[in-house]
Every structure is written in C-alpha cells, then in structure tokens.
Amino acid sequence: MPKYKIMFSKTGMARFISHLDLLRIFERAFRRADLPMAFSQGFNPHPKMSIAAPLAVGIEGKQELLEIELTGKMEENEITRRLNSSLPAGVEVLGVKQAQGTKPLMAMVKRAVYSFECMPGKEIKQQQVEQAVSSLLNEDYIIVKRSVKGRVKEVDIRPGILSLEGKLTNGEIIIKAEVKSGSEGNVRPEEIKAELEKAGIPLGAGCKIYRLGLYGDEKGKRIDLW
Amino acid sequence: MQQKLEKLLPYVQKPARYAGGEWNSIKKEWNSVKVRMAFAFPDVYEVGMSYLGLQILYNLVNQREDALMERTFAPWVDMETIMRREKVPLFTLESHRPVKDFDILAFTLQYEMTFTNILNMLDLAGLPLESACRDEKMPLVIAGGPCAFNPEPLADFIDLFVLGEGEEVLNEIIDTYIEAKEKNLSRRELLFKLAGLEGIYVPSFYQVEYHGNGKIKSVSPKYPGVPPVVNKRVLKDMNKAPFPTHSIVPSLGAVHDRVMLEVQRGCTRGCRFCQAGVLYRPVREKEPEILLKQAEELVKNTGYNEISLTSLSTADYSKVRPLIKALLDEHSQKGVNVSLPSLRVDAFSVDMAKEVQRVRRSTLTFAPEAGTQRLRDVINKGVTEENLIKAVTAAFAAGWHSIKLYFMIGLPTETYEDLDGIANLARAVVKAGLEQGVSRRRLKVTVSASSFVPKSHTPFQWEPQDKLEELRNKQKYLKEKLKDKYIVFNYHDSKVSFLEAALSRGDRRLGPVLKQAFEIGCRFDGWDECFKYEKWLEAFEGTGITPQWYAYQRYDYDDILPWDHINTGVSKRYLILEHKKAVKEEVTADCRSGRCPGCGLCPSLDIKPLVLGGEDHAQI
C-alpha cells in the first residue's frame, strides 16, 4: 500500500497541542477529508501513521514530517488540498510526496534545526551573545541532568551540538542551533537555552522557539529527508 | 490578549486547554451580531468539552445571525495563579476576549462541587460576585442545568436561572434581550420581562422568610406579575429538536472524546434516589432514521472513530438493537465503532455490548446500587440478583474477565445486612467468573461504593444523609467484608458527599458561606487533589449555620422545602407517595410498561412520553 510523506507546520496557538493530541488531530482530519487510511491488523487497529519526531509542547514547527499509509494511490496535490480543508487552525500541510524505500522516516531523522527568538531581560550587546555562543562551543563536554522514568541521569550534550550561532537584531537575541535528534545523542532545545543562560546571556522568559526542519545524517553530513 | 497568552501558556500544564481554534469552533465577527454570549463551564476544558449540552447550545446560538456564543472554562489552579499575577481576565477561547465584554454570561450547573469555581470565574472576569453589585454595563449572568433545580445557594450570585431544557428558552432569552436593548430598558426592566417567560427564575424577585427553627416559612414573589411557582421547560418532540452535527472536536483529549448521539431524553425507571430521572421526564425517544442521519453527518464532520449512544439508560431505548445494527453496517467498515456508555443489569445489555465491541475492552460495568432485594425495592431499582448473575455469566462467557459493580451506601433504611448483601453479590460474581473458566490470574471484580446524597425533587428529598462517622464505619465494614483476592474495593472520601448534601438541599443562607469558601481558597472541590475540607468548615464558622443542619435534616412532608417554588412537573403528592412506598419496600412500575405511575408530569406540563415500541422492545 502506498506510503506518503507529509510536510506540515504547527504554528500560533496550535503549538500548544501535544504530540499525542496532534496524532489524533491528523487521524480525524484524514477521516474528515475522506482519505483512506490503512490500519494495522489485530485486536486494536490503528492507522499506520507516524510523526517523524515529536515536538515539545510550546515549540512552533515550521517543517514537520509525518508519514502515512493509504489503502490506495492518490494524487499528492489532492491529498494536500483535502487535508488543508480538514485541519484545525494552526496546523497546515505544506506538501505531500509519495515515500520511497521502506525505512520509516522516524528512523531516518538524525538532526534538527532550532531557532530561538528572545527579548532579553536587560540591555545586552552583540559581543556578549557571541561570547556566550563560542564559550559553549569551546567546552569539551556539557553535562545536563535529565529525568528518565523518575530517575535523574547525567548526559553530555556537547557532541550533540552540531552548530550554534547567535546574533542581536533590534534588541532581540536570535539563536540558531543544529543538534542531533532521534534515538542517538538527542539534544533538547530547552537544554540549549538553559546552557546559554548559564553562559551569561539572559534569554528571558518569553522566548519563542521554532523547529525549522528535520534532517537525516550520512557519514556526518546533513541530508534532506524530503 | 492572544499575544500575552502566547507568552504565558508555556508555563502551564496542558496549555491547549486555553488555546482554542479547534475544528468546528466558530469565531464570528464581533460587530456583526446584536447579542454576544459566553458559555461558561465551571470545570476544566476536558470535562466541559465532554458535555453534550454545550455543543447543543453553542450550535443553537451560533446558527442565529444576530447572536454569537463563545466558550470559557475554569482555569486550572496553575493558570489561575498566572492570570491573577499577570492581570489576565477570564477570557473566551474563540476570540480570547475578556468575558466581561459579553452581553450574557451563561453558566451550566452540573454538580454542586463546582459552585466555588463559578465564583472564582466571576471574580477572574472582573465582575462583582453578587448580582446586586453588578451594574448595567456588565454581562447578564444566567445559569441552567440540573443544579438549577435547587438554585437557592447561588441566589445571590446569578441574575436568573433557566429551568429545564434550554433549546427553546435560550432563543426567547436572546430575543427578549435584543428587544430590551433596542428599547433601552434597564437591567431591572429586562429581568422583569425575562421573569415572564416560562422556565425563568429570577431569584432577586422572591422573598424568603424563615421560622425560628431555621426551616422555611414562605417563599413568595416580591412583585405582582412574578410567578409564585416556576415550571421547567421541556421539549415536546426530540425529533424536531436542534441537534449539532458540526460539534467542536477538542484539541486536547476530552473525557468523552467521541460522537455523542443522544438517542432519547429522559428515563422511565423511577429509581427513587435519582434526580435526573425526575428532571428529564418524560422519556422522549428519537426516530432511528433521524439518528442514523445525524450519526452520518457527525462522523463526516468530526472525523471521530467512535459513536457513543448517549442517554440516561440507552438499553431502554426501544429501537436500540436495530439502531446498533444499522450504525455498524454503515460505519464499521471505516473503522468507526459504536459504544454504549451505560449498561443495564441484564443479559440483553451484555448481548448488545458483545455486538458493538469489536475490540474487547477488559471491563464491563453494572450498577445494582444496593446489596439486597429488600433495599433494591426501597430504591425502586428493578434489578434482581438473578438479573445480575445472568448478565455477568454472559459477560464472562463472552470473554470479559473484569466486572465493575457500582453500589451506594447510606441509602435510606440501610442496615449492615444490606452491606453484607453487597459482599455476597460480589462473591457471587466471582463465583460465576470461576465457573465460566475465567483465568484466575485475570479475573477481577471491582466494587465501587459511593455515598448516598439526598437530592431535591426526588422521593428521598426528605431523608437525612448518614452521618460522616457512620459512612466511614460502613466503608470500613465493607472493606473488611470484601477482602478477597479477586475483589477490589473502591470508595470515596465521604466528606465531599457530606458537603454535596449540604449544598444540594441548601437554601439562600448558604450564599455567604460559598463566598467565604471561595475567598479562603476553595476551588475544584470535586477534585481530590484540590478539595479542602477544613477550609469549608472554616467558611461555615461564624455564619451561624452548619453543614450538618442541611445534610442531616429530616424534613416533614408539610415543611416548605427551599426548592418548592420550582416545579419539575412531578407532583409533591407523588413524591410523598413514592417515599411512603419506599419505606414499605414496595416497587413502582416503569412508566414504559403502560401502567402510568401517576407522577403528574404529563397533565402538569401538557406533554406525553414518546416511546417508539416495536418488535425489539427491551424486556422490562
């Protein structure tokens, strides 16, 4: 049965929708759009659909990926059109492509690019931003604490930070980070934010965080999943 | 406001509760209408969005060209803290506008333990709590729903109560509001006009006098033209009632997150503890053809994968079998299931559950309510031990291995023998499971015992609640009796039931107590993690009244009850008769049986039960 990749965005108030709720929203949108989802076998059939990488509540996703199996082939533009007239405010399909190969998207996601737009709590200079960024990059290791199933674990996120840039535009701090994503070496955006604050730049409470895109990795090089 | 919210929402749990923008939600142009209503549900989003009444009224108002309705819910405690700190007033989800900007603020009263949330919401909206302190520019604050049938504890805070079904009267309220606005009438003149509508109760137009012993001496209209007794509203024909086929699909998993197809309104059984059975009388079944059409549109418009057949007692619906069959034929291909929210205690219900549950859920729930035949006769719950054993045997045989049984403790005339009866029934169910060969590892019987709360307008309205200490002893006794490796016993803190009893049979003197409870921090009293019993006791202190006086009061038949001026259509004479029969352990026939029990409703409200009947008529 044909598999499709769907690129979508989750912006505005919709960024407060959780991962599981988003899956439900898509399932319902497919049904409203009368798109024939393929279901798993067994006692409790569910649609063969997966979101490539969960996005934390509160972060806007600019180019998120979802994969779904349909029971029959359909024209890609038609899928886009129908979904976009069936999705709630803030969730929008940007494109649909038939998926090639058998490897699930979820297993192919290795990198994510995030950006942060923050109004600092106090006056700040471009130089301070640059210094904080380079001091982080100069570290050999950056240990963060994560609680996994109720137990606190220490993780070195330095190897997971692939690139980090920062600048000041009209008093607003803009950070761009490319980090490892997925099952190996995953780095969370709020960890980057916390480390930058430790390094001396006050990002402030009202930071807006975006995930700009998801990518694969082949021998240390970023590859497009689209 | 939206920008401010976007900054604050990252700091609360489940921010989608406050985001809005759900599928089928309606945001109308503010200036395109004459009346703006905010529907307020005094509990969290997930609970409120599970309430069919919200969907019905939302659809009804938004279908009008001259009116709009938006929604607001009680903010959870974390959100309340932030709203107060950041000075964000209570807002609606559609336009994120302050509730204070609306013309009408309409609360639904589903449960007494949400009353402090209502006060909190008024306060968060920036409105004075008491009606008398609100000015002409502030929204008209109205309330409806089951707890409006004893509205007295909220009389200080709510401008008017809507009694009974809102589908017709809400339109009349809006029309009257528009007319009053065009004529530049004052709030008081508007209230006078509204008080003239059938089903509207304006508490400030009534005077209550008390006897020296605290009981009520009289409740009377203060002004000519105000009706001494207010009748509830009831729809004549559910088939013609407006029913939303574009219901809002919540963006956050609601408690009931599925198509809610209301197959009938009302229940004919006449259980003597049950308030809903009185309030929603008479039974009115809907035509299966109409239901099928509504189900089809709902599935298409919502994308849900489950259709729940809702009503007070769905298994009693005459056409339930053919309806289920037709729904499955139509929808199961597309992965859409049918579900039954409540089962009657009989094999017929298990048969139906078997039919609809492609996916075998592990647990099936039944509500025998009382442990002995004697006590079941007292409460008029027409269920026998044989019914139950047949039902669970059928369920075990069909592959279920876990059964849940609901009981009430503290029912009038209850003795420890009746508690033994609960334990015996539970053991009989275990025995049936073992006999049916359910694996010993998986067999489970869960017994849930809630504490009886006497409710207004029921045959038990005169009865006292069991004392807290007694309820605790009964729970302890049952816990001991139900020690069995296959049985799990659940019960709730009876302190909540105690306060519920005080409020549900309360009068106007509770207004200051509610206000005080709110002021010292009571919120979400129906939620275990928020309920603060000591704060409630503190709220009663110094008011000269006690919750015990209300909860433990045994009223006489000739006492004037705080809700006697509210007419459900069921006569007091009939309730007295039923109460006397209860004490004599005599049962009353089901209204469906054709033997009219004589409750007085049909002549009083000029209405008739609508029962379709037919081949597949459920056995009584």
Side-chain angles (χ1 to χ4, degrees):
Chain A
M1 281 185 266
K3 238 172 33 174
Y4 293 90
K5 292 189 285 194
I6 291 172
M7 185 185 279
F8 67 96
S9 61
K10 188 178 104 168
T11 56
M13 294 300 259
R15 73 177 184 281
F16 297 111
I17 295 170
S18 74
H19 175 67
L20 282 178
D21 287 325
L22 187 65
L23 273 171
R24 241 191 318 248
I25 283 173
F26 268 107
E27 179 184 338
R28 288 169 187 165
F30 272 94
R31 206 173 275 114
R32 292 191 290 259
D34 206 14
L35 293 166
M37 290 179 280
F39 282 84
S40 64
Q41 300 294 307
F43 272 126
N44 200 358
H46 51 267
K48 291 189 176 176
M49 172 169 74
S50 60
I51 288 175
L55 185 60
V57 173
I59 298 180
E60 288 202 359
K62 294 293 193 188
Q63 297 193 339
E64 295 293 296
L65 296 171
L66 173 146
E67 196 169 36
I68 182 148
E69 216 174 289
L70 298 183
T71 57
K73 219 169 153 171
M74 284 198 68
E75 216 262 307
E76 283 122 343
N77 288 336
E78 178 66 8
I79 299 178
T80 307
R81 194 187 61 76
R82 285 209 213 168
L83 276 179
N84 275 338
S85 51
S86 305
L87 281 163
V91 185
E92 193 190 351
V93 170
L94 308 170
V96 176
K97 271 187 186 175
Q98 193 163 351
Q100 309 300 328
T102 51
K103 200 169 176 191
L105 261 185
M106 213 195 282
M108 286 160 70
V109 171
K110 300 287 180 206
R111 294 170 171 228
V113 177
Y114 290 95
S115 84
F116 303 72
E117 291 174 9
C118 313
M119 287 307 279
K122 58 180 188 216
E123 189 89 2
I124 191 165
K125 292 197 181 70
Q126 167 90 16
Q127 205 188 357
Q128 283 171 276
V129 178
E130 284 167 7
Q131 265 171 11
V133 167
S134 58
S135 78
L136 264 197
L137 288 175
N138 286 333
E139 297 286 352
D140 292 328
Y141 39 82
I142 302 169
I143 305 295
V144 300
K145 289 199 171 81
R146 274 185 204 165
S147 63
V148 183
K149 287 173 190 160
R151 275 173 46 195
V152 179
K153 207 171 80 174
E154 291 198 336
V155 182
D156 178 14
I157 60 165
R158 179 62 192 88
I161 302 176
L162 304 170
S163 77
L164 189 65
E165 303 158 23
K167 62 178 182 185
L168 198 67
T169 311
N170 302 328
E172 195 178 33
I173 302 172
I174 296 173
I175 305 286
K176 204 168 163 186
E178 182 165 0
V179 297
K180 283 193 186 171
S181 183
S183 51
E184 279 168 56
N186 188 61
V187 176
R188 300 175 184 173
E190 59 276 18
E191 290 167 345
I192 300 274
K193 185 174 171 247
E195 291 305 317
L196 283 168
E197 281 177 335
K198 268 196 238 165
I201 47 170
L203 295 177
C207 249
K208 245 186 155 180
I209 309 179
Y210 305 89
R211 183 153 76 187
L212 303 180
L214 295 164
Y215 303 93
D217 188 298
E218 221 170 71
K219 295 170 190 147
K221 279 213 179 85
R222 180 210 272 194
I223 58 162
D224 201 352
L225 296 175
W226 185 238
Chain B
M1 174 85 98
Q2 182 163 337
Q3 279 181 344
K4 198 163 183 181
L5 274 177
E6 287 192 38
K7 286 212 171 75
L8 302 177
L9 290 186
Y11 300 97
V12 299
Q13 289 173 42
K14 302 189 181 179
R17 283 170 172 167
Y18 316 101
E22 308 96 317
W23 185 252
N24 286 336
S25 62
I26 297 168
K27 187 175 162 185
K28 283 193 177 180
E29 187 55 51
W30 186 258
N31 290 317
S32 71
V33 298
K34 292 178 179 159
V35 177
R36 294 117 188 161
M37 275 186 90
F39 184 98
F41 197 97
D43 208 315
V44 289
Y45 178 87
E46 303 92 294
V47 176
M49 285 306 294
S50 304
Y51 171 54
L52 180 61
L54 186 162
Q55 304 272 9
I56 292 175
L57 300 178
Y58 187 81
N59 164 68
L60 185 116
V61 174
N62 283 321
Q63 270 193 352
R64 291 178 67 124
E65 279 192 8
D66 55 0
L68 66 77
M69 182 183 266
E70 302 194 355
R71 294 159 297 147
T72 186
F73 300 88
W76 188 244
V77 280
D78 59 345
M79 183 64 173
E80 186 198 335
T81 306
I82 289 183
M83 286 168 74
R84 290 194 182 277
R85 193 182 66 213
E86 302 292 328
K87 306 208 169 10
V88 175
L90 188 72
F91 57 88
T92 57
L93 295 197
E94 280 76 3
S95 62
H96 297 112
R97 264 176 200 273
V99 160
K100 205 178 175 178
D101 293 353
F102 285 73
D103 299 306
I104 302 174
L105 174 57
F107 283 97
T108 179
L109 312 175
Q110 298 293 313
Y111 178 38
E112 287 82 0
M113 301 316 279
T114 62
F115 286 177
T116 56
N117 280 6
I118 293 174
L119 301 192
N120 191 33
M121 287 169 83
L122 287 171
D123 187 61
L124 279 168
L127 299 171
L129 301 183
E130 283 99 345
S131 302
C133 303
R134 292 193 292 262
D135 68 31
E136 304 265 329
K137 280 183 243 111
M138 293 173 179
L140 180 73
V141 179
I142 72 177
C147 296
F149 281 89
N150 178 21
E152 294 304 277
L154 291 172
D156 292 348
F157 315 110
I158 303 291
D159 299 340
L160 72 84
F161 292 92
V162 178
L163 305 172
E165 291 160 354
E167 282 100 333
E168 289 170 350
V169 69
L170 191 54
N171 274 324
E172 295 164 22
I173 292 172
I174 293 172
D175 292 339
T176 310
Y177 190 95
I178 293 174
E179 196 193 318
K181 213 167 159 185
E182 278 162 1
K183 288 186 183 156
N184 253 323
L185 298 189
S186 69
R187 174 61 50 91
R188 204 178 146 72
E189 288 167 311
L190 167 66
L191 283 172
F192 261 105
K193 278 200 173 290
L194 289 169
L197 297 176
E198 186 91 358
I200 300 289
Y201 171 61
V202 180
S204 58
F205 290 173
Y206 295 76
Q207 171 86 40
V208 184
E209 288 180 303
Y210 302 92
H211 287 296
N213 64 3
K215 288 184 179 175
I216 289 173
K217 191 173 166 195
S218 68
V219 179
S220 45
K222 286 188 202 165
Y223 314 102
V226 175
V229 171
V230 184
N231 294 329
K232 81 170 179 194
R233 290 296 288 261
V234 55
L235 296 177
K236 289 229 152 69
D237 186 352
M238 287 304 296
N239 290 310
K240 297 200 184 99
F243 195 73
T245 51
H246 282 81
S247 52
I248 308 168
V249 183
S251 299
L252 173 70
V255 179
H256 297 293
D257 209 358
R258 51 189 77 95
V259 167
M260 286 182 272
L261 190 65
E262 188 184 25
V263 298
Q264 62 183 355
R265 204 169 280 175
C267 174
T268 52
R269 306 224 138 217
C271 297
R272 290 176 179 134
F273 56 82
C274 179
Q275 192 188 39
V278 174
L279 305 187
Y280 296 102
R281 270 183 205 208
V283 76
R284 285 143 294 155
E285 297 189 342
K286 282 164 75 174
E287 291 287 348
E289 293 73 32
I290 291 174
L291 291 169
L292 285 172
K293 197 160 163 282
Q294 289 172 345
E296 190 189 333
E297 285 178 44
L298 273 161
V299 169
K300 199 176 83 199
N301 296 331
T302 61
Y304 279 130
N305 64 354
E306 187 178 335
I307 304 165
S308 177
L309 304 183
T310 66
S311 78
L312 290 170
S313 177
T314 297
D316 288 347
Y317 172 59
S318 304
K319 303 283 187 189
V320 67
R321 280 308 260 275
L323 177 68
I324 288 174
K325 188 177 178 303
L327 285 172
L328 288 175
D329 286 350
E330 178 70 30
H331 299 286
S332 65
Q333 288 290 313
K334 286 174 266 171
V336 178
N337 292 324
V338 174
S339 68
L340 301 162
S342 59
L343 289 185
R344 215 167 52 191
V345 188
D346 58 19
F348 174 83
S349 297
V350 176
D351 258 14
M352 278 193 310
K354 224 158 78 182
E355 239 166 83
V356 302
Q357 295 199 357
R358 259 191 327 155
V359 183
R360 192 103 325 153
R361 288 200 194 121
S362 56
T363 306
L364 219 51
T365 303
F366 298 100
E369 310 288 4
T372 58
Q373 197 57 52
R374 185 201 71 78
L375 191 52
R376 285 193 296 271
D377 289 346
V378 168
I379 64 177
N380 202 41
K381 180 90 189 179
V383 167
T384 62
E385 178 164 351
E386 194 193 341
N387 294 146
L388 177 68
I389 297 308
K390 273 193 177 157
V392 298
T393 302
F396 288 132
W400 275 281
H401 45 78
S402 173
I403 299 285
K404 206 178 214 176
L405 301 174
Y406 279 142
F407 292 97
M408 247 183 252
I409 57 168
L411 284 162
T413 78
E414 183 184 64
T415 66
Y416 278 73
E417 259 173 57
D418 299 303
L419 301 182
D420 292 340
I422 293 177
N424 294 340
L425 272 188
R427 282 176 206 284
V429 173
V430 168
K431 188 166 156 259
L434 293 172
E435 278 170 7
Q436 288 303 311
V438 179
S439 122
R440 285 170 184 271
R441 201 169 39 79
R442 297 170 79 191
L443 176 63
K444 191 169 116 183
V445 177
T446 306
V447 174
S448 278
S450 60
S451 301
F452 166 72
V453 176
K455 295 270 169 165
S456 61
H457 304 287
T458 66
F460 290 160
Q461 63 181 354
W462 296 279
E463 288 283 337
Q465 188 180 43
D466 258 359
K467 301 247 166 32
L468 255 180
E469 197 51 33
E470 184 61 16
L471 286 171
R472 281 204 199 111
N473 287 339
K474 287 181 174 176
Q475 288 170 343
K476 231 190 280 170
Y477 182 81
L478 265 181
K479 199 174 161 188
E480 202 53 41
K481 280 268 166 184
L482 287 169
K483 273 195 180 148
D484 185 297
K485 67 171 171 170
Y486 300 113
I487 299 176
V488 178
F489 177 49
N490 292 331
Y491 57 95
H492 267 304
D493 186 351
S494 30
K495 293 191 213 99
V496 180
S497 312
F498 167 57
L499 283 168
E500 188 189 334
L503 292 174
S504 74
R505 294 198 305 166
D507 55 39
R508 291 187 177 197
R509 289 168 295 184
L510 287 174
V513 176
L514 279 173
K515 188 178 175 188
Q516 177 66 10
F518 152 70
E519 278 169 358
I520 59 179
C522 294
R523 310 273 187 281
F524 288 101
D525 301 298
W527 293 71
D528 284 348
E529 63 264 54
C530 299
F531 179 63
K532 299 181 191 106
Y533 183 60
E534 286 68 31
K535 291 262 180 205
W536 271 99
L537 294 187
E538 191 187 329
F540 273 95
E541 261 169 44
T543 56
I545 52 176
T546 66
Q548 287 82 358
W549 192 85
Y550 291 95
Y552 303 155
Q553 184 74 244
R554 179 183 288 283
Y555 284 106
D556 295 327
Y557 292 144
D558 41 12
D559 282 338
I560 293 173
L561 304 175
W563 51 90
D564 270 355
H565 53 302
I566 306 293
N567 180 26
T568 64
V570 173
S571 70
K572 195 167 186 178
R573 198 186 57 82
Y574 177 75
L575 293 179
I576 293 172
L577 193 74
E578 276 293 291
H579 183 249
K580 286 181 175 164
K581 281 173 86 176
V583 177
K584 284 189 277 179
E585 301 166 13
E586 284 174 23
V587 296
T588 294
D590 188 314
C591 157
R592 238 173 238 277
S593 66
R595 281 170 289 163
C596 170
C599 75
L601 178 119
C602 295
S604 159
L605 300 179
D606 185 24
I607 191 165
K608 285 226 147 33
L610 206 161
V611 178
L612 298 167
E615 294 274 308
D616 290 275
H617 196 309
Q619 296 293 310
I620 297 166

